[in-house]
Amino acid sequence: MKENGKNLVIVESPTKAKTISGFLGKNFQCVASNGHIRDLPKSRFGVDIPSFEPHYVVPRQKMKLVNQIKKLAACASDVYIATDEDREGEAIGWHIIDIAKPKHYKRISFHEITKTAITNALKNPREIDKMLVEAQEARRILDRIVGYRLSPLLAKKIARGLSAGRVQSVALRLIVEREREIAKFVPVKYFILNAKLTINNTEVEAKLSKIGAKKLKLGITDEAEALDIKTETEKLGFVIDSVKRKKTSRAPSPPLTTSRLQQLANSRLGYSPAFTMRIAQGLYEGKKVNGKQVGLITYMRTDSVNIAKSAALEAREFIKKHYTEQFVPKTIPVYKSGSSAQLAHEAIRPTDIKRTPEKMERFLDTKELKLYRLIWDCFIASQMAPAITDSMNITLKSGKTVWNAHLSSLRFPGWMIIEGKKAEDALITIDKSDRLTLKKVYIEQKETEPPLRYNAASLIKTLEKEGIGRPSTYATIVSVLLARNYIRKEKRSFVPEEISYKVVDRLVEYFPKLMDLKFTAHFETLLDEIAQGKITKLELLKEFWEPFSAQLEKAMDMPSEKPEDIPTEEKCPKCGSMLVIKTGRFGKFFACSGFPKCRYTKNFETKEKKIEGNCPVCGKELLIKNGRHGEFVACSGYPECKTILNKTGKSCEYCKEPLYKIAKKNDFVCINPSCSSKNRET
């Protein structure tokens, strides 16, 4: 086929292709691969053991596109691979080259879709990074080994439809173990003593911090002791023991990485990680602004906090113009990336700082604008001067007790001006000799609280801290756990389903290394070392496979926890075979005994049964109901009363009847109506 004189640029997405086309001349044609053009087969394992050679296939739905790319590549003057500059993007580019086999190609990369970035990339092409490709392939094979060897085992031994994953199962373990911590948590009451007083006509609040030589970490656990100290303090009053003043400089947070973007979008905007990445992808690939398709942010999959010098200089000019020179730091801020960060990458930032959220308001929908504002605010704040705070620590004495008071004043807002903060009045002057007036001493009764359930933000933070997975995978991990019904959301927090406990327990028992946080993090480090050329793909896979295969062999003898099918006298309406009652991930259901030839199923319905006892909230009768997750106890007053009770496995210490826990609360209750103890709520 003859060359047509045009250069071919290949990217992953149609939106990205459309944006890039606007920056290329008439001699360029841009097409999208729509992600990977080939992968491991879905219907079989697709990896040779022990050589660990993958067998890639082109999916049927991609055949037409692949043939088109082949034809375009064959007649192009030059082929430019412009996929994302990460492991996945490098692998996509390698697969395209391997299939299309152009006479010559050039690999170009950029962190933002702007005319300057595209022009510079075209001037500085490189080769495909084979080490990055090998790292991606090793990760893909690792995940295939775990998924295709463990998932059938779980389905056979526990319940149909279960799946396992190298990182997914470790993340599930974190959620399950946190829920168990919450269930066994026993609250402890404690008392905090505070005092209100005035010094130089300024009201100050002090807190008891020391009794004699003993420092208080939590508070006082004895109420009588707290009352005695209150009485004595009211009688003796206070004297000032010391006054210490200091000036504190608070630097801004670094620019956004992928994980921090997901955490902030979840905690501030309520966006799920997957939703955040979907919007960020659109902002990166391009939106129509004043009739032109432009990329609004830099590449959104990054673990680096580096910023291009040109972008930092533009930010400094913007800050000087809009916030005065006082808000410009003396030197460009430098932030330290994590040890595994790809330092050639940039943090997430706007491609043009002059495109303020206010100017973008008419070009973005509400949710896009909120995320863009978050990215813009975080970047501009990261390039601003530190905030300066004056603080004063006052130590007070009353008999044998020591109390502390703290006063602070924001003297210069610095980067905090982005959060709407303004400079405050200066602190008053306080000396040891100043007189003070005690207004009142009061006691606050508190209770220790159980650890919080994981939500998307805290789970991602923990995974990143432990070195498990990579920022680009966190959104997928959370989505899979929800989609597979291992966890559910309650008020944005993750609650494990009953099946999750069984899965985690069996995996920890039979695959302790796979479920170990340090072991999983170790292999993330090894994947980085492949990308750096320190080890080979084969070395990593052999190190993983040898202990895993031995554990897998032992796990074949794992006792089955699947309940036996219960025969019925009802016939299948499709094939006439008898129906049986099966138990799956969501409880009982009817299925045809002719499975897999006949796949007929229907919901298993049970009548509600009364249970002896009354609702601890409204006093109405309680019912045993059957839901998708099996039986549960609920109030008969639904929907006016939505109380649900879960069994705890514990017994009431007074009547020895089962103890229940009110769902979504930490209240443990005994519902036995004949239990006359005043402590029925335990």
Side-chain angles (χ1 to χ4, degrees):
M1 190 173 287
K2 290 183 179 180
E3 291 186 3
N4 61 9
K6 284 198 172 185
N7 298 303
L8 179 66
V9 179
I10 305 174
V11 298
E12 301 102 313
S13 86
T15 306
K16 188 175 176 182
K18 186 178 179 183
T19 306
I20 288 176
S21 295
F23 304 127
L24 300 172
K26 293 179 180 179
N27 293 329
F28 286 86
Q29 183 177 6
C30 194
V31 295
S33 69
N34 292 315
H36 281 277
I37 60 171
R38 68 178 182 185
D39 198 358
L40 295 173
K42 287 188 176 181
S43 58
R44 54 192 171 86
F45 186 48
V47 179
D48 280 338
I49 304 290
S51 68
F52 299 104
E53 282 303 310
H55 294 284
Y56 292 115
V57 296
V58 177
R60 188 180 301 171
Q61 63 269 27
K62 285 287 182 87
M63 288 300 297
K64 185 177 178 181
L65 175 61
V66 168
N67 289 331
Q68 180 194 4
I69 289 173
K70 280 183 178 181
K71 288 178 182 178
L72 291 171
C75 61
S77 295
D78 276 313
V79 174
Y80 291 88
I81 302 298
T83 48
D84 294 338
E85 194 181 15
D86 55 16
R87 288 181 200 163
E88 218 63 35
E90 207 72 14
I92 291 171
W94 176 77
H95 283 291
I96 292 169
I97 295 301
D98 195 51
I99 290 178
K101 292 182 171 53
K103 292 176 183 176
H104 37 81
Y105 78 90
K106 296 174 182 177
R107 172 73 166 112
I108 60 172
S109 52
F110 38 83
H111 309 302
E112 59 184 59
I113 305 178
T114 60
K115 187 169 184 176
T116 302
I118 303 301
T119 303
N120 288 338
L122 290 168
K123 290 177 182 176
N124 298 283
R126 61 173 174 83
E127 294 292 316
I128 290 282
D129 188 332
K130 296 291 178 60
M131 291 185 293
L132 270 183
V133 174
E134 191 163 283
Q136 187 275 343
E137 193 168 75
R139 195 271 309 161
R140 187 73 185 90
I141 293 171
L142 268 182
D143 292 346
R144 175 55 62 109
I145 289 171
V146 175
Y148 274 58
R149 288 293 185 258
L150 279 192
S151 298
L153 180 68
L154 294 178
K156 182 181 178 182
K157 299 291 186 178
I158 300 177
R160 273 176 57 196
L162 293 178
S163 72
R166 182 178 59 89
V167 179
Q168 165 199 320
S169 297
V170 176
L172 182 62
R173 179 183 184 176
L174 289 171
I175 296 169
V176 165
E177 289 182 347
R178 176 60 58 85
E179 195 68 19
R180 282 175 166 156
E181 282 180 59
I182 294 168
K184 70 181 182 182
F185 178 82
V186 179
V188 175
K189 287 182 181 177
Y190 65 97
F191 304 89
I192 292 175
L193 273 82
N194 300 289
K196 283 189 177 179
L197 51 143
T198 56
I199 307 174
N200 294 343
N201 298 318
T202 299
E203 190 171 281
V204 176
E205 189 154 322
K207 181 180 176 182
L208 177 65
S209 61
K210 205 173 179 183
I211 303 172
K214 180 186 173 184
K215 286 186 178 180
L216 298 178
K217 290 183 179 179
L218 186 65
I220 299 172
T221 53
D222 186 338
E223 187 176 9
E225 183 185 3
L227 288 167
D228 287 345
I229 292 172
K230 176 180 182 292
T231 303
E232 187 178 1
T233 304
E234 288 171 335
K235 180 181 176 182
L236 296 174
F238 289 103
V239 293
I240 299 174
D241 183 59
S242 68
V243 179
K244 294 179 182 177
R245 297 188 69 143
K246 67 176 180 178
K247 190 173 284 188
T248 307
S249 174
R250 184 180 168 190
S253 296
L256 293 175
T257 58
T258 302
S259 60
R260 191 157 167 265
L261 173 66
Q262 292 175 1
Q263 291 171 51
L264 289 181
N266 182 257
S267 58
R268 294 186 187 181
L269 307 178
Y271 293 177
S272 71
F275 186 69
T276 297
M277 295 310 290
R278 192 158 62 247
I279 295 180
Q281 182 93 30
L283 295 174
Y284 164 70
E285 291 181 348
K287 294 291 175 181
K288 196 162 262 187
V289 177
N290 293 323
K292 289 183 180 180
Q293 192 85 3
V294 293
L296 297 180
I297 64 170
T298 54
Y299 191 49
M300 65 288 158
R301 291 187 179 90
T302 177
D303 51 7
S304 170
V305 293
N306 284 353
I307 291 294
K309 188 175 181 180
S310 58
L313 291 173
E314 285 175 8
R316 290 170 74 83
E317 285 299 315
F318 184 91
I319 294 165
K320 183 179 177 181
K321 181 179 177 182
H322 292 83
Y323 298 97
T324 75
E325 194 165 356
Q326 197 179 5
F327 288 85
V328 181
K330 291 179 181 178
T331 58
I332 295 174
V334 177
Y335 298 97
K336 188 178 179 182
S337 296
S339 57
S340 63
Q342 298 182 56
L343 300 181
H345 289 184
E346 273 198 79
I348 305 168
R349 62 168 175 82
T351 54
D352 186 345
I353 196 66
K354 293 187 289 295
R355 291 195 189 107
T356 63
E358 291 71 27
K359 287 182 180 177
M360 292 299 102
E361 197 167 347
R362 60 195 180 101
F363 304 114
L364 302 174
D365 67 31
T366 304
K367 291 179 178 177
E368 290 171 337
L369 182 64
K370 283 181 179 178
L371 193 70
Y372 181 75
R373 185 183 296 278
L374 178 65
I375 294 167
W376 193 94
D377 284 354
C378 286
F379 171 64
I380 198 71
S382 75
Q383 303 304 300
M384 297 181 90
I388 307 297
T389 302
D390 279 344
S391 62
M392 183 188 299
N393 289 313
I394 309 163
T395 305
L396 304 158
K397 282 190 174 180
S398 179
K400 63 179 181 179
T401 62
V402 178
W403 303 61
N404 285 105
H406 179 79
L407 298 175
S408 67
S409 171
L410 184 63
R411 303 303 297 130
F412 173 63
W415 63 271
M416 295 178 77
I417 197 169
I418 299 297
E419 298 179 351
K421 301 288 177 67
K422 295 180 181 179
E424 298 169 341
D425 294 336
L427 293 175
I428 60 167
T429 300
I430 297 178
D431 296 314
K432 285 179 68 173
S433 58
D434 287 339
R435 293 185 63 185
L436 50 83
T437 304
L438 175 61
K439 284 192 165 184
K440 70 171 182 176
V441 179
Y442 62 97
I443 299 173
E444 281 185 279
Q445 179 179 314
K446 297 204 170 187
E447 210 173 62
T448 55
E449 294 184 353
L452 294 172
R453 283 171 170 157
Y454 283 110
N455 57 23
S458 59
L459 181 62
I460 287 170
K461 187 175 182 180
T462 302
L463 291 172
E464 185 176 38
K465 180 184 174 184
E466 297 291 342
I468 298 168
R470 280 294 174 263
S472 58
T473 65
Y474 295 150
T476 305
I477 292 166
V478 172
S479 296
V480 167
L481 290 175
L482 287 165
R484 296 282 185 179
N485 294 291
Y486 277 125
I487 60 174
R488 66 181 186 275
K489 271 188 185 179
E490 284 186 8
K491 294 182 179 178
R492 289 170 59 180
S493 294
F494 297 146
V495 183
E497 300 291 4
E498 196 61 40
I499 197 72
S500 299
Y501 295 91
K502 288 184 180 181
V503 169
V504 167
D505 288 345
R506 294 293 79 77
L507 289 178
V508 169
E509 181 181 355
Y510 288 92
F511 299 91
K513 278 198 169 183
L514 180 73
M515 296 296 283
D516 182 70
L517 273 64
K518 289 182 180 177
F519 182 78
T520 308
H522 168 64
F523 274 87
E524 294 295 344
T525 302
L526 293 184
L527 288 170
D528 290 334
E529 289 184 1
I530 293 175
Q532 295 158 13
K534 294 179 180 178
I535 63 169
T536 66
K537 174 188 76 176
L538 194 58
E539 286 173 318
L540 177 144
L541 292 172
K542 279 184 176 178
E543 183 180 336
F544 180 83
W545 174 255
E546 287 172 8
F548 177 78
S549 58
Q551 291 171 351
L552 188 64
E553 194 172 334
K554 288 181 182 178
M556 294 301 175
D557 297 326
M558 182 193 301
S560 175
E561 296 187 44
K562 289 179 75 171
E564 295 285 330
D565 293 347
I566 303 171
T568 72
E569 296 182 1
E570 189 177 346
K571 288 187 176 182
C572 172
K574 279 193 173 182
C575 71
S577 300
M578 301 307 293
L579 293 180
V580 294
I581 299 171
K582 289 181 175 286
T583 303
R585 283 185 291 165
F586 312 125
K588 293 178 180 177
F589 64 97
F590 287 104
C592 180
S593 59
F595 179 86
K597 289 183 179 179
C598 178
R599 295 179 175 270
Y600 174 79
T601 61
K602 75 169 183 175
N603 292 336
F604 182 81
E605 296 175 358
T606 58
K607 292 182 179 179
E608 296 174 349
K609 296 176 286 184
K610 289 183 181 179
I611 184 172
E612 189 177 2
N614 302 103
C615 174
V617 176
C618 71
K620 291 185 179 179
E621 288 182 329
L622 292 171
L623 302 172
I624 296 178
K625 295 190 174 187
N626 192 280
R628 62 184 296 196
H629 308 300
E631 288 187 343
F632 62 95
V633 177
C635 180
S636 60
Y638 182 86
E640 287 77 21
C641 180
K642 297 180 180 179
T643 300
I644 292 175
L645 303 178
N646 297 319
K647 282 187 178 180
T648 64
K650 300 177 182 179
S651 300
C652 173
E653 60 179 301
Y654 299 98
C655 68
K656 306 305 178 187
E657 288 296 311
L659 200 62
Y660 289 83
K661 181 182 174 185
I662 301 177
K664 303 183 183 180
K665 294 184 180 180
N666 288 318
D667 296 337
F668 292 82
V669 295
C670 173
I671 60 171
N672 179 11
S674 61
C675 180
S676 57
S677 167
K678 65 177 181 178
N679 291 308
R680 279 188 57 196
E681 290 199 13
T682 59

